[in-house]
Amino acid sequence: MGDPSGIGPELCIKAAKHLRAHTTAVSLRLFGDLAHLQTVNSLLGKPLEDAALSQITEDTGSLGPYPIGEVSAASGQAAYQAVVAAAQACLSHRVTGMVTAPLNKEALHLAGHRWPGHTELLAHLSKPDAPPSVRMLLINPELRVLLHTIHIPLHEVASRITPHDLLETIEIAHRCGYQYGQPVPNLAVAALNPHASEGGAIGNEDLTIVAPAIAIAQSRGIQVTGPWPADTVFMRARQNPANIHLVIALYHDQGLIPIKYLGLDHGVNITLGLPFIRTSVDHGTAFDIAHQWRASPASLLEAIAQAQKMAQTTPTQAPPSH
């Protein structure tokens, strides 16, 4: 359900109503605070019958009432409990995959859970002693972007890019291509510096770190090119989707700006590398419109549809890892 102080509960109820009315192909379980969901449902005019909402909800406990449109420890804890319960259901194979409504990182921290977001938390929950290497993939109908680094300060980005780690990102993009519909994908890597470093005139990271990782990946049979100047590679991928199936961005805003510029309604966030399917909306908690009943469930419905597609694609279609 995401953060109960934001738009997540509203989106979940709206999406559930839409799916119950338009399809029988998706069986939903809603993880969250049932009492709060019932309150939101009533304020929405009861789009779902009480019995129907109770039937699809796995109650993860109530810490409410929650301050609407505000960051709070109670909301952070409620969101955390919902994520943990859904992840456990995935790991025990009670459900096929999870779709997450937005949570608030500050609220999560106030509740004592020092995770930058869903991605890192889910990796830990999957295997606490040795979390899997995971990457965030953002897709919309026009573009696919995989992030090499995500929630870190910009001044730390260069130090977090090593040939070994970037090679791992490239291999994850290659190995998990079946999950985004490209069993053997064509990959492009965005450069770190302007104009791909201009032959060393604008920094040397693209020459000494990015290019060597790409060369190793190519020697292993992976179809990857770059580093390409970031100010044009996303445009090229959008214009020639058959030639560039996915762009690897080296830091958060480098990849998120082109994705979000194309619109949030159809954007989906996918976590590659987990032992289960996880998709998410491509927007935040929207505290400014919480409980105003204006939030669109379009991105959540897209995330559910993407999870369903992934569930129908068997991992045996994936190329072997290197």
Side-chain angles (χ1 to χ4, degrees), residues 203-281:
N204 62 4
E205 291 88 352
D206 292 305
L207 300 174
T208 62
I209 299 174
V210 181
I214 293 171
I216 295 171
Q218 290 171 337
S219 72
R220 296 180 179 182
I222 296 175
Q223 296 174 183
V224 56
T225 60
W228 299 107
D231 57 359
T232 56
V233 68
F234 300 101
M235 176 183 67
R236 292 176 57 234
R238 186 184 178 200
Q239 293 175 339
N240 300 286
N243 295 328
I244 300 177
H245 297 134
L246 178 148
V247 177
I248 295 173
L250 298 185
Y251 57 94
H252 184 277
D253 285 11
Q254 185 185 60
L256 268 290
I257 289 173
I259 281 283
K260 293 192 174 183
Y261 177 77
L262 293 172
L264 298 177
D265 282 352
H266 299 288
V268 177
N269 179 343
I270 302 171
T271 304
L272 299 183
L274 289 172
F276 53 83
I277 294 167
R278 182 262 172 161
T279 68
S280 179
V281 295

Side-chain angles (χ1 to χ4, degrees), residues 30-74:
L30 176 53
F31 292 81
D33 180 342
L34 177 58
H36 182 65
L37 290 165
Q38 289 171 328
T39 298
V40 172
N41 190 48
S42 294
L43 292 170
L44 282 169
K46 291 198 173 182
L48 294 178
E49 296 178 359
D50 289 338
L53 179 59
S54 297
Q55 184 181 33
I56 67 171
T57 301
E58 294 206 14
D59 188 10
T60 54
S62 180
L63 300 170
Y66 307 100
I68 302 305
E70 298 178 14
V71 175
S72 79

Side-chain angles (χ1 to χ4, degrees), residues 3-5 63-67 70-81 104-113 287:
D3 190 303
S5 292
L63 300 170
Y66 307 100
E70 298 178 14
V71 175
S72 79
S75 294
Q77 181 62 28
Y80 175 81
Q81 289 175 185
N104 181 277
K105 299 175 184 63
E106 184 181 355
L108 202 66
H109 294 173
L110 287 175
H113 307 292
F287 283 157

Side-chain angles (χ1 to χ4, degrees), residues 15-28 301 304 308:
K17 178 191 177 184
H18 176 89
L19 291 168
R20 288 170 68 87
H22 293 91
T23 180
T24 59
V26 180
S27 177
L28 292 178
L301 287 168
I304 293 169
Q308 185 184 15

Side-chain angles (χ1 to χ4, degrees), residues 163-172 174-175 184-185 187 212-224 319-322:
H164 175 272
D165 290 345
L166 183 54
L167 177 62
E168 184 175 54
T169 296
I170 295 169
E171 290 187 324
I172 289 172
H174 170 73
R175 186 171 65 248
V184 185
L187 311 173
I214 293 171
I216 295 171
Q218 290 171 337
S219 72
R220 296 180 179 182
I222 296 175
Q223 296 174 183
V224 56
S321 60
H322 294 274

